[in-house]
Amino acid sequence: MQYQYILIDCPPALDLLTLNDLLAADSVLIPIQCEFFALEGISELFTTIDRIRDSFRHHLKIEGILLTMFDERTTLARQVAQDLRDFFKGEVFRTIIPRNIRLAEAPSYGKPILSYDIRSKGAESYIQLAKEILANEQTARSAP
């Protein structure tokens, strides 16, 4: 059976397992919490991606940076989002995954959010993300 997409969910640690996953991947989607310390970790991840590209001659594409656990009520979340958009320009997805209680509850019921509550704001955000990724791929394919 052939697949167009295979998603590998990695822990935030840059250990051997994560390095192997990055070597197996064609592209990487980088979720980042809209909190201060997450900004420090992203620079380490980009350094690791550069090392993989150089050491293994592996063209690992950055699919995009996904803002997660976003709470629009906090100044910090808005500032982190703006800083990421300013620094990474077009690499940050337009779709933002909000803090959402239904997203937090779904794993405790052993269900993905689309099965647990498809009408929740979190589920709607992930559907929008999928549409954005597909649209980006379509645009890339049609470019000369």
Side-chain angles (χ1 to χ4, degrees):
M1 180 175 262
Q2 298 246 346
Y3 297 94
Q4 286 186 302
Y5 297 93
I6 297 174
L7 301 177
I8 304 171
D9 188 7
C10 301
L14 292 173
D15 57 11
L16 187 58
L17 180 62
T18 303
L19 292 174
N20 284 330
D21 291 337
L22 290 172
L23 282 167
D26 295 324
S27 66
V28 60
L29 185 152
I30 303 167
I32 183 167
Q33 291 182 16
C34 292
E35 297 179 2
F36 175 76
F37 288 116
L39 292 174
E40 292 182 11
I42 197 166
S43 63
E44 192 174 324
L45 176 60
F46 273 90
T47 299
T48 301
I49 289 170
D50 287 339
R51 285 187 187 151
I52 288 171
R53 287 174 174 163
D54 295 342
S55 299
F56 297 97
R57 295 188 180 129
H58 177 56
H59 179 70
L60 185 59
K61 176 184 168 215
I62 304 297
E63 195 69 39
I65 297 170
L66 176 64
L67 304 177
T68 65
M69 300 181 81
F70 183 78
D71 186 346
E72 63 190 20
R73 299 170 299 172
T74 68
T75 303
L76 177 62
R78 290 192 310 268
Q79 186 62 53
V80 167
Q82 190 58 53
D83 288 350
L84 286 166
R85 289 188 191 287
D86 289 346
F87 189 80
F88 292 105
K89 306 294 181 204
E91 292 190 79
V92 179
F93 287 106
R94 289 186 313 274
T95 303
I96 295 175
I97 308 301
R99 276 200 189 273
N100 181 261
I101 191 66
R102 304 302 274 174
L103 281 174
E105 289 173 346
S108 67
Y109 289 91
K111 294 183 176 182
I113 189 61
L114 296 181
S115 297
Y116 182 66
D117 186 356
I118 196 166
R119 291 186 178 91
S120 70
K121 190 170 182 158
E124 290 173 0
S125 296
Y126 276 109
I127 291 168
Q128 185 61 40
L129 173 65
K131 290 177 181 178
E132 185 176 350
I133 290 170
L134 291 172
N136 290 349
E137 182 178 310
Q138 184 67 30
T139 301
R141 283 186 183 176
S142 62

